[in-house]
């Protein structure tokens, strides 16, 4: 399993639009084959910055999602709202303490 972290910054006036997009698509994103968890975080100091964390069984599962029509539609709508270039990391989860 690995984790995909995406940092996104939005124009303040677009935050509500982004949250509406995420709310309407989160279940479809989460139900993709291999997606084990989907989380959305908001920065405490700058409320226009968000992070998504998604846990994937394999890198191919993530690639399949990234090549899907769902991703293309969601990403096209979301990237139009950015105030800065998004950043993304794929990391291996090495430890978790419940």
């Amino acid at each position: 399993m690995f984790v995909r972290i995406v940092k996104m910054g939005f124009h303040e006036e677009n935050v509500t639009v982004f949250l509406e997009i995420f709310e309407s698509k989160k279940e479809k994103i989460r139900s993709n084959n291999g997606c084990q968890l989907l989380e959305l975080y908001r920065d405490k100091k700058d409320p226009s910055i968000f992070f998504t964390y998604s846990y994937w069984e394999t890198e191919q599962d993530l690639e399949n999602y990234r090549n899907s029509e769902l991703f293309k539609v969601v990403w096209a709508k979301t990237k139009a709202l950015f105030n800065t270039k998004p950043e993304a990391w794929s990391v291996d989860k090495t430890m978790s303490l419940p």
Side-chain angles (χ1 to χ4, degrees):
M1 176 181 58
F2 76 100
V3 181
R4 179 71 167 181
I5 303 165
V6 180
K7 177 184 178 184
M8 301 168 286
F10 296 94
H11 294 283
E12 284 184 37
E13 64 272 15
N14 293 335
V15 167
T16 300
V17 176
F18 165 68
L19 290 171
E20 289 170 355
I21 293 168
F22 190 85
E23 182 64 30
S24 70
K25 301 298 184 188
K26 66 184 181 184
E27 294 297 331
K28 289 183 179 181
I29 296 168
R30 171 59 183 88
S31 67
N32 269 271
N33 193 33
C35 184
Q36 298 177 343
L37 179 77
L38 175 64
E39 298 177 317
L40 179 66
Y41 296 93
R42 191 174 199 171
D43 189 84
K44 288 185 112 10
K45 293 183 181 177
D46 184 345
S48 68
I49 296 176
F50 290 83
F51 299 85
T52 57
Y53 280 59
S54 54
Y55 289 43
W56 296 88
E57 289 180 26
T58 68
E59 290 185 38
Q60 187 60 53
D61 291 329
L62 173 61
E63 285 307 308
N64 291 343
Y65 166 64
R66 293 182 70 219
N67 290 315
S68 72
E69 192 60 33
L70 173 63
F71 177 82
K72 291 174 187 172
V73 169
V74 170
W75 194 246
K77 290 179 180 179
T78 302
K79 73 179 182 179
L81 308 173
F82 293 149
N83 67 358
T84 188
K85 185 178 178 184
E87 298 178 63
W89 301 268
S90 290
V91 299
D92 289 323
K93 186 175 183 177
T94 59
M95 186 179 300
S96 181
L97 302 175

